């Protein structure tokens, strides 16, 4: 690679990063616009990854380009070192991933995936922020985060939202509870049962209320919590029964702390993937998403998107 990488290519790359436009970069380097475009294209051929995305008249650097630029700034005359960095970025030996996730995923699901990911790609640094779904949306809108995982009913113009996995919610019961003998629970099974309810400000609370209304069931509310994990802890300690999203239910059931059962009729729960709208996901982010989808299917079985 080194015999194809030139100092002039890096000068053009640096100028485009700093000016945001090919025409301005050409002025800085006292050359022509086609010359700058050709050198950027040559550098993309050398690196084997995309460096810029066009947004109107502006060129927006990719995540890979920003990682390369940091090294160019530190050692602009060290072509050997820069060539090594290019290899590291392309081969996933260098990079970072900043993730925001709703607590239902950020407390165990995402840490499990991150642990598996860094074993496969030890050169990548991963940061995780546990936030409410609305806060995850705000974080992604800043364009500073790479990936977000939430459950939302609203959108933001600076964020692309798409379903990543859908699975039915689960009834959760203390170990040994008589309803655990049933293969699935219906609304009438919850009538007058001690029930740990999800906070009223959470969107799925209204869906659970509709579920009970189908069978004219009136559970006896004994506690309220905002997080699925908190509800499952209460259930595990015998406070009552409840209904939670499937990932947390599956994790607690797998640990032998609760019984999880399907509902009839089903209550689908959708997990959303959020990415910044102003830039495409990096190669590192795409590699991470492959593990995310595989872990969903391992934990919950094939889902509907």
């Amino acid at each position: 690679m080194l015999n194809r990488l030139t100092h002039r290519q890096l000068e053009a790359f640096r100028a485009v990063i700093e000016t945001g436009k090919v025409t301005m970069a050409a002025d800085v380097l006292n050359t022509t616009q086609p010359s700058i475009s050709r050198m950027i294209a040559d550098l993309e051929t050398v690196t084997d990854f995309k460096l810029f995305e066009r947004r109107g008249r502006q060129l927006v650097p990719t995540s890979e380009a920003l990682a390369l630029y940091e090294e160019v700034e530190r050692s602009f005359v060290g072509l050997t070192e820069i060539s090594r960095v290019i290899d590291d970025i392309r081969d996933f030996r260098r990079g970072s991933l900043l993730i925001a996730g709703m607590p239902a995923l950020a407390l165990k699901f995402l840490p499990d995936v991150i642990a598996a990911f860094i074993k496969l790609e030890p050169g990548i640094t991963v940061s995780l922020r546990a936030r409410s779904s609305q806060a995850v949306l705000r974080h992604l809108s800043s364009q500073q985060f790479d990936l977000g995982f939430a459950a939302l009913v609203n959108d933001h113009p600076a964020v692309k939202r798409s379903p990543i996995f859908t699975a039915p919610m689960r009834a959760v019961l203390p170990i040994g509870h008589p309803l655990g003998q049933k293969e699935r629970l219906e609304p009438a099974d919850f009538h007058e049962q001690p029930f740990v309810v999800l906070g009223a400000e959470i969107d799925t609370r209204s869906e659970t209320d509709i579920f009970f209304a189908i069978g004219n069931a009136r559970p006896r509310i004994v506690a309220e919590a905002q997080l699925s994990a908190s509800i499952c802890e209460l259930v595990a300690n015998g406070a009552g029964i409840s209904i939670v999203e499937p990932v947390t239910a599956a994790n607690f059931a797998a640990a032998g702390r609760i019984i999880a059962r399907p509902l009839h009729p089903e209550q689908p729960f959708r997990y959303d993937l959020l990415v910044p709208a102003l830039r495409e996901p990096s190669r590192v982010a795409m590699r991470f998403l492959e593990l995310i989808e595989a872990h969903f299917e391992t934990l919950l079985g094939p889902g509907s998107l």
Side-chain angles (χ1 to χ4, degrees):
M1 174 183 295
L2 185 59
N3 60 344
R4 295 160 54 198
L5 179 63
T6 69
H7 193 274
R8 193 62 173 167
Q9 289 169 357
L10 294 174
E11 282 185 327
F13 167 72
R14 186 167 177 255
V16 173
I17 284 273
E18 293 177 350
T19 64
K21 294 182 179 179
V22 171
T23 52
M24 295 179 66
D27 290 340
V28 169
L29 296 181
N30 194 28
T31 187
T32 64
Q33 180 179 339
S35 177
I36 294 292
S37 298
R38 185 179 63 254
M39 286 187 282
I40 293 300
D42 290 344
L43 184 57
E44 286 183 330
T45 299
V46 172
T47 61
D48 198 28
F49 52 75
K50 193 174 182 180
L51 294 172
F52 296 96
E53 296 172 359
R54 185 168 291 280
R55 297 282 187 267
R57 295 183 178 181
Q58 202 79 10
L59 287 179
V60 179
T62 64
S63 298
E64 289 83 358
L66 292 175
L68 176 60
Y69 177 69
E70 289 180 3
E71 191 62 34
V72 170
E73 281 297 278
R74 284 195 295 266
S75 51
F76 187 54
V77 296
L79 292 186
T80 301
E81 174 63 14
I82 293 171
S83 181
R84 184 187 62 78
V85 170
I86 289 171
D87 289 338
D88 286 349
I89 295 171
R90 185 183 53 248
D91 298 335
F92 300 99
R93 293 194 297 268
R94 178 182 297 222
S96 63
L97 200 56
L98 185 53
I99 301 168
M102 61 188 288
L105 298 178
L107 296 180
K108 178 167 172 57
F109 180 92
L110 286 173
D112 287 349
V113 178
I114 290 169
F117 181 74
I118 60 179
K119 286 180 181 177
L120 293 173
E121 310 292 351
I124 307 299
T125 301
V126 183
S127 299
L128 173 64
R129 304 286 187 273
R131 299 289 188 268
S132 69
S133 287
Q134 288 298 325
V136 171
L137 183 64
R138 290 194 297 271
H139 283 342
L140 268 293
S141 70
S142 73
Q143 310 299 305
Q144 301 302 309
F145 282 71
D146 298 295
L147 298 171
F149 300 93
L152 293 162
V153 295
N154 59 313
D155 291 300
H156 190 288
V159 177
K160 294 179 183 178
R161 176 171 71 102
S162 60
I164 191 167
F165 204 85
T166 301
M169 295 183 72
R170 294 287 190 265
V172 289
L173 319 165
I175 297 296
H177 194 283
L179 288 175
Q181 301 299 315
K182 300 192 66 173
E183 291 186 4
R184 61 184 185 178
L185 271 62
E186 301 178 351
D189 293 318
F190 294 85
H191 187 64
E192 295 186 352
Q193 288 282 345
F195 190 81
V196 182
V197 70
L198 195 63
E201 71 279 9
I202 310 300
D203 292 328
T204 49
R205 165 70 179 272
S206 60
E207 296 175 11
T208 301
D209 292 341
I210 293 171
F211 173 79
F212 291 144
I214 293 172
N216 197 28
R218 293 183 297 278
R220 180 165 55 87
I221 306 301
V222 296
E224 178 183 295
Q226 291 182 311
L227 303 183
S228 297
S230 300
I231 291 175
C232 286
E233 287 288 353
L234 287 163
V235 169
N237 284 282
I241 65 177
S242 191
I243 297 173
V244 299
E245 46 78 27
V247 164
T248 303
N251 283 328
F252 270 78
R257 302 197 58 208
I258 61 164
I259 299 170
R261 290 290 181 266
L263 298 171
H264 181 74
E266 288 186 348
Q267 279 189 276
F269 188 93
R270 192 182 91 170
Y271 300 93
D272 291 323
L273 166 66
L274 310 181
V275 297
L278 302 183
R279 58 185 173 90
E280 294 299 318
S282 67
R283 297 166 69 247
V284 171
M286 295 304 295
R287 178 71 65 89
F288 183 79
L289 287 175
E290 293 174 5
L291 290 187
I292 286 285
E293 293 172 2
H295 196 60
F296 266 122
E297 293 205 3
T298 298
L299 186 64
L300 301 177
S304 57
L305 296 183

